[in-house]
Amino acid sequence: MKHYRVNKLFKPGGAVIRKKDVLAANDKQAIENARESDDCPVCDVLSDGVKIGSIV
């Protein structure tokens, strides 16, 4: 399992409202988990501080 950070955003490219740490087997799973979360209508998914995906 790898550590990922999901940043909930006010709007795409906007300010971070909340940060959440998650564990996932790979990048694809981390992005899918964020996409399925009701808490994440607009989010960035980061791995080691590098953005790997966005949910808008």
Side-chain angles (χ1 to χ4, degrees):
M1 297 299 261
K2 290 177 57 179
H3 173 261
Y4 293 88
R5 162 104 7 115
V6 178
N7 289 340
K8 181 177 180 180
L9 306 174
F10 180 71
K11 63 180 183 178
V16 175
I17 297 172
R18 185 178 317 146
K19 297 176 182 179
K20 181 178 174 182
D21 294 322
V22 296
L23 294 175
N26 55 48
D27 294 353
K28 183 178 178 181
Q29 182 184 18
I31 293 169
E32 285 300 316
N33 290 348
R35 181 175 285 123
E36 293 173 2
S37 173
D38 292 336
D39 189 44
C40 193
V42 179
C43 294
D44 284 340
V45 181
L46 295 93
S47 175
D48 296 324
V50 177
K51 184 167 78 169
I52 59 164
S54 294
I55 289 78
V56 287

